[in-house]
Every structure is written in C-alpha cells, then in structure tokens.
Amino acid sequence: MSVVLRENDWAASMIQANSLGKKPSETLRRVARFYMDTYNINQDAARKKLDLFLLQCDPTSSLPKWSDALDFAVSRACKYPAINIDHISVSKNEVEKIDSLEGKQIRRLAFTLLCLAKYWNIVTRKEDGWVNSKDNEIMSMANINTSIKRQSLMFGKLNELGMIQFSKKVDNTNVKVCFMEDGEEAIRVHDFRNLGYQYLMYHGEPYFTCENCGVTTKANDKGNRRRQKYCPECAAIIKMKQNIESVMRRRVSS
Ligand SMILES: [Zn+2]
C-alpha cells in the first residue's frame, strides 16, 4: 500500500478527476472510505456509489468484471479508518545522523526509513519505530534503483551502526528505526512520493516541489533560469487545458 498522508483529501481529488490512478485497488479502497466518512453511509450504499465512480472513470468498464474488486475495496475500507496526517517532521539531529553516513544512497534510505517509522508510529499508535512497508516500496520512495544485493548491504550497514534493527521473526522483513530524536525541525514532509529527492532538495540539489500535485521532482536544466512550477505531468495537463481555453476563446470571439 502506497503512503498517502491525507487519504480523504486524496480520494476527493481522484473523484474530481474521475481517475483510478496508478493503483486502482488502492484508489477504490480510499474512495469507498471517503464516501463512508463524507456522506455517513453504510457499506451497501458506499458499494453502490463505487459502481458509479468506476463508470465515471471509465464508461466502458464492465461492472460484473469489477464486482469482486469493488466488494473487496469496500470490505477493506470498513476495517481501516482514513489516515489524516498533515505532515511528518524531521529534526536537525536526525538529519545530522543521516548526513554522517558514507554514501548518497544509504543516506536516502535512512531518511526514507525514518519518515516511514514516524508515519507508522502515528498510524499504529505504537510509537515503537517499526516500519511495515515492503522493500520495493521503500526503495521507490527513497529514489534508489539498485540490486537486491546492494540493498541488503545497505540495510546491513545501518543495522551494524545501530540505526535500525531487524525483526527476529524469520519470515518478517520489517525493520525498526532506532535513531529518532526530537529537536528543532529541519525538514517537513507533506508527501511520501520521492522522499529521496526531498532529502537531496534539502541539501540544495536541483529538485523542486510541484505547486499543483505536491510531488518533488528534478528541475530540468536547459539553461532555463525561470523557476519551474509544475512537474512534467502537471505541466502537460495545464498546457493542454490552456490550449483548449484559447481555442474556445477564439471561437467565441470570431
Ligand atoms: Zn505535479
């Protein structure tokens, strides 16, 4: 499950955009929960609204084919309340510990694990520092693309330094983050996509946060000194909207 800090706001934006997103099962679950919370309706009523949402996203979709997926989404939505976290705060002391690590990738990994541990502390209300995310999701958030072997070496190093602990259960790949330390805030995280880039941006590297969708992306370097406002995806959508508007205006005026 990907990490979204304000699930109901996120679901509302998917409904407004008529979009199933990149992971339809996650979108359907969050949209179902949004309906329950917003309209104060039961499981059956939410299930009916989910049919409509699906058809709005894709009028050609077959409801019988999607039926099981929609049932599952509603049953999951009933079990878990929507997550609503404004931000995660990383302290200067924590950043210093991360900065002291040898190697850029391992720093991004440590930063990502720290943010996830803080997230899971809030979600599970346990304050125990355990990270319940899959390795591939962690690597993607950390913007690390490397072999499994190198990934285990990095985890091993963090363990050796006492910054993380592994679970004692054999079939459990979870890790516990042991370097949380309160203090003056250094970084405020509002979005868990591209945490690795957010760490690099804090250190002055050429990344920026999209004003439309909040994702942090690499700034394009084409000698273009103008400050970039939007990520490539949002820029394309905004440009298309502007083109449509200008065509409409010309039609009205001619
Ligand atoms: Zn964007």
Side-chain angles (χ1 to χ4, degrees):
M1 191 81 178
S2 59
V3 173
V4 169
L5 294 186
R6 291 170 165 272
E7 290 192 310
N8 277 345
D9 290 352
W10 185 90
S13 69
M14 298 308 265
I15 295 167
Q16 212 203 343
N18 293 329
S19 168
L20 282 172
K22 285 175 189 152
K23 294 180 180 166
S25 63
E26 291 187 6
T27 307
L28 290 168
R29 203 215 69 185
R30 288 186 178 125
V31 166
R33 186 70 221 187
F34 169 85
Y35 287 144
M36 287 177 198
D37 291 343
T38 309
Y39 304 108
N40 202 13
I41 52 176
N42 67 13
Q43 209 167 326
D44 291 341
R47 176 66 181 75
K48 282 188 188 121
K49 282 184 84 67
L50 218 49
D51 274 348
L52 288 175
F53 170 68
L54 178 68
L55 289 174
Q56 261 151 6
C57 293
D58 177 8
T60 66
S61 48
S62 145
L63 288 179
K65 226 166 112 183
W66 278 86
S67 179
D68 285 351
L70 301 189
D71 288 345
F72 183 70
V74 173
S75 72
R76 298 286 289 184
C78 283
K79 271 191 212 145
Y80 304 100
I83 289 163
N84 187 18
I85 301 171
D86 182 66
H87 66 271
I88 296 286
S89 179
V90 177
S91 73
K92 285 197 166 155
N93 300 333
E94 290 163 337
V95 171
E96 270 170 29
K97 273 184 206 159
I98 296 166
D99 290 350
S100 72
L101 290 162
E102 286 292 330
K104 276 190 161 189
Q105 282 189 336
I106 198 169
R107 285 183 210 141
R108 295 209 293 277
L109 175 60
F111 178 71
T112 302
L113 289 173
L114 176 71
C115 293
L116 281 168
K118 289 176 183 236
Y119 164 84
W120 284 109
N121 274 357
I122 298 172
V123 173
T124 62
R125 297 189 189 154
K126 280 189 187 151
E127 297 287 330
D128 57 7
W130 281 102
V131 172
N132 301 306
S133 304
K134 289 184 193 146
D135 280 2
N136 60 339
E137 288 172 347
I138 294 171
M139 292 299 155
S140 156
M141 283 182 251
N143 305 106
I144 295 174
N145 187 1
T146 190
S147 65
I148 302 283
K149 195 182 163 194
R150 215 182 120 58
Q151 290 175 23
S152 347
L153 283 174
M154 287 194 285
F155 277 106
K157 186 73 192 168
L158 291 174
N159 178 242
E160 198 187 300
L161 293 167
M163 290 174 79
I164 62 166
Q165 274 172 26
F166 296 121
S167 167
K168 287 196 174 73
K169 286 182 216 149
V170 182
D171 57 346
N172 195 327
T173 56
N174 292 354
V175 297
K176 179 187 168 103
V177 170
C178 315
F179 66 99
M180 274 188 243
E181 198 185 329
D182 289 341
E184 199 186 330
E185 183 177 85
I187 305 176
R188 195 172 269 206
V189 175
H190 292 277
D191 194 312
F192 269 55
R193 292 171 295 174
N194 296 348
L195 287 169
Y197 290 166
Q198 292 179 58
Y199 171 78
L200 294 173
M201 184 170 74
Y202 174 76
H203 286 292
E205 297 206 25
Y207 293 86
F208 73 100
T209 303
C210 174
E211 284 183 16
N212 189 48
C213 73
V215 76
T216 299
T217 6
K218 201 170 173 58
N220 66 26
D221 183 35
K222 293 176 187 159
N224 186 353
R225 288 278 142 210
R226 249 191 348 181
R227 202 172 66 82
Q228 239 175 301
K229 274 189 181 175
Y230 306 117
C231 72
E233 275 179 39
C234 289
I237 294 168
I238 288 164
K239 189 153 191 262
M240 192 177 74
K241 276 190 188 156
Q242 284 169 347
N243 286 347
I244 294 172
E245 275 163 22
S246 88
V247 169
M248 299 296 270
R249 265 200 307 274
R250 255 180 279 150
R251 281 207 186 146
V252 169
S253 60
S254 63

